[in-house]
Amino acid sequence: MTAAPHALASATESSEAPPASSAASAAHVDAGAARGFLIAHLAMICGLVTIHLVIDGIGEWPAIPLAVATVAVCVFAARSERHGGEVSERMWVALAVIWIGLVVIDPLFLQAMFTLYPVTYAIVRWPQGIAASALMPVVWGTAVYSLDEPLWEWLLLPVGVWVLSCCLAYWILRVIDQSEERAALLAALEATRAELAEAQRAEGARFERDRMARDIHDTLAQGFSSIVLHARGALARGDVDSVRRSLELVEQVASEHLGEARRLVAAGPDESLGGRTLTEALQRVAAADEPVAHLHVDGPTQQLSGSIDVAVLRITQEAVANARKHARAERIDVTLAYTDREILLDVVDDGVGFDVGAPPRPVDGRIGGRGLDGIRARAAELGGSVTIESDRGSGTSISVALPTRAR
């Protein structure tokens, strides 16, 4: 009197497979279990009919062809179910009609009814299966009533068994529905995890692109700009000594930034200063071009993590390069101060200044502003802050505060 694998089979086979492999595997297992359930009960009907014919000695001529027809319908239905087809309700009608004929011949065939209950719920869709299953207690009660049995045997017992089978089928359907809901939730969860992983991958790629863009802008791009300026100066002056001096500077800048490029490729995001101290690296930045920046270091120097050292160096490179190239400053002061909790960097120039609140203006035919955005991004990644003060004609002051994390 088990019931209702039909809903399980139809739900797992007709619905779209969830994107997660585990949910799809579970659906495949459930569909196989439902298919095996129906085939097993069809085989039980064949076995019961055969037992009654052979062991109980039922030899009337209508019983044998009806029994053969029963076996044929069950085999055809089992074959269709085994190959992934859907057993039609017409097969159930044929099976029920044949069973009624066998019961008319001999009431012993009523025993097959307990196998017909689950087969009915498996083939006939719910809730039509309730009405279809009512055929069994009607036939049962009619057959027993003809034998002049007590009321409880021909009415109460068949009806009670039918009600019990309906309740059990409904309970199983509820369990199946809850299982399907949980499977859908798991599939949605795994899909969300996949989307989150893809979003994290995209965010990581974007972060790496931004980091590489900042590094290239703060190192190689600045070096190329310096090389271009020296080359233009040599072409403008024209005398041998000036050309020689410019070529020497070009060679020096190119060598330094070739080393920077190699360090970027080799070290990746955890790059270092290439064996130099932060003060030495800042002195090279200050003296790399005209006008020479004035470097001031206040407080006892501290050994900081490589990420902080590199951030201070890159921010200084960008700020000094902006003062030389865009602000056309005559004096640049770089101040590095160490405290117990922070390292403070100030870059001040007496250049033309700019409107801090105005949108970036074009630089060499492109929209500028990447350098200042890079300064802010570097400081933010380390939990620091940036303050930029400037006005047209009054110079620019860039102040950066970064937390110190000693090794």
Side-chain angles (χ1 to χ4, degrees):
M1 289 183 288
T2 55
H6 181 275
L8 177 60
S10 62
T12 54
E13 293 180 354
S14 63
S15 61
E16 294 183 358
S21 59
S22 59
S25 176
H28 178 73
V29 172
D30 291 341
R35 187 177 296 114
F37 173 90
L38 179 56
I39 293 175
H41 281 79
L42 290 172
M44 290 172 61
I45 292 177
C46 296
L48 287 173
V49 171
T50 303
I51 288 173
H52 291 326
L53 287 177
V54 177
I55 296 180
D56 296 329
I58 301 173
E60 289 83 352
W61 74 268
I64 296 177
L66 288 177
V68 173
T70 301
V71 173
V73 173
C74 290
V75 170
F76 185 80
R79 179 180 176 83
S80 177
E81 185 71 13
R82 182 173 179 272
H83 291 284
E86 185 175 350
V87 180
S88 67
E89 295 179 355
R90 286 180 295 182
M91 294 184 186
W92 176 85
V93 172
L95 196 61
V97 170
I98 296 172
W99 172 71
I100 292 174
L102 290 172
V103 172
V104 171
I105 295 173
D106 195 308
L108 283 174
F109 287 101
L110 282 172
Q111 297 182 20
M113 175 188 61
F114 296 101
T115 303
L116 279 173
Y117 269 120
V119 169
T120 300
Y121 293 124
I123 296 177
V124 184
R125 296 184 180 275
W126 188 272
Q128 289 85 354
I130 297 178
S133 64
L135 175 67
M136 271 74 79
V138 171
V139 174
W140 184 359
T142 303
V144 175
Y145 178 77
S146 64
L147 300 176
D148 295 328
E149 297 294 338
L151 176 67
W152 71 273
E153 285 194 17
W154 66 265
L155 179 61
L156 299 183
L157 185 60
V159 173
V161 172
W162 174 71
V163 172
L164 179 62
S165 70
C166 292
C167 294
L168 184 60
Y170 177 76
W171 176 74
I172 293 177
L173 282 175
R174 291 295 303 162
V175 172
I176 292 174
D177 290 340
Q178 293 176 358
S179 299
E180 291 174 352
E181 291 176 1
R182 285 194 295 269
L185 289 175
L186 288 175
L189 176 60
E190 294 189 7
T192 302
R193 286 178 176 174
E195 293 175 359
L196 179 60
E198 177 63 21
Q200 290 176 337
R201 186 200 65 78
E203 179 64 16
R206 185 197 63 79
F207 177 83
E208 185 64 15
R209 285 196 302 269
D210 291 344
R211 184 191 68 81
M212 291 298 297
R214 288 199 307 268
D215 289 341
I216 292 173
H217 178 274
D218 296 343
T219 57
L220 303 182
Q222 300 295 351
F224 291 143
S225 298
S226 180
I227 290 173
V228 170
L229 291 176
H230 287 308
R232 288 176 179 175
L235 292 174
R237 288 188 288 269
D239 59 282
V240 177
D241 292 337
S242 297
V243 171
R244 182 183 297 275
R245 175 58 180 162
S246 296
L247 289 177
E248 290 175 353
L249 292 174
V250 166
E251 189 275 337
Q252 178 183 348
V253 173
S255 298
E256 290 179 357
H257 286 84
L258 178 60
E260 291 283 356
R262 288 171 176 168
R263 279 193 293 273
L264 287 177
V265 172
D270 296 325
E271 55 182 306
S272 65
L273 300 182
R276 294 173 294 182
T277 65
L278 178 58
T279 302
E280 293 173 345
L282 294 180
Q283 287 173 346
R284 296 175 70 90
V285 173
D289 211 335
E290 297 292 338
V292 175
H294 301 274
L295 177 62
H296 311 277
V297 179
D298 296 333
T301 60
Q302 301 178 23
Q303 188 175 13
L304 306 174
S305 65
S307 58
I308 296 180
D309 284 343
V310 171
V312 172
L313 174 61
R314 299 292 181 242
I315 292 172
T316 304
Q317 285 177 323
E318 177 60 28
V320 171
N322 284 345
R324 287 169 176 163
K325 184 177 180 181
H326 304 305
R328 299 189 295 275
E330 296 182 359
R331 181 178 177 87
I332 305 172
D333 290 288
V334 179
T335 303
L336 186 66
Y338 293 89
T339 67
D340 293 337
R341 296 185 177 181
E342 291 182 319
I343 179 171
L344 307 176
L345 174 67
D346 292 315
V347 180
V348 182
D349 66 71
D350 60 354
V352 297
F354 66 99
D355 185 359
V356 177
R361 61 180 184 270
V363 178
D364 295 334
R366 294 169 294 176
I367 298 298
R370 179 180 294 274
L372 296 180
D373 290 340
I375 290 175
R376 294 188 181 95
R378 286 187 183 277
E381 288 173 5
L382 297 175
S385 61
V386 178
T387 302
I388 301 176
E389 298 178 355
S390 182
D391 201 358
R392 296 190 181 279
S394 62
T396 301
S397 172
I398 299 177
S399 300
V400 180
L402 298 176
T404 57
R405 289 193 292 269
R407 291 177 180 171

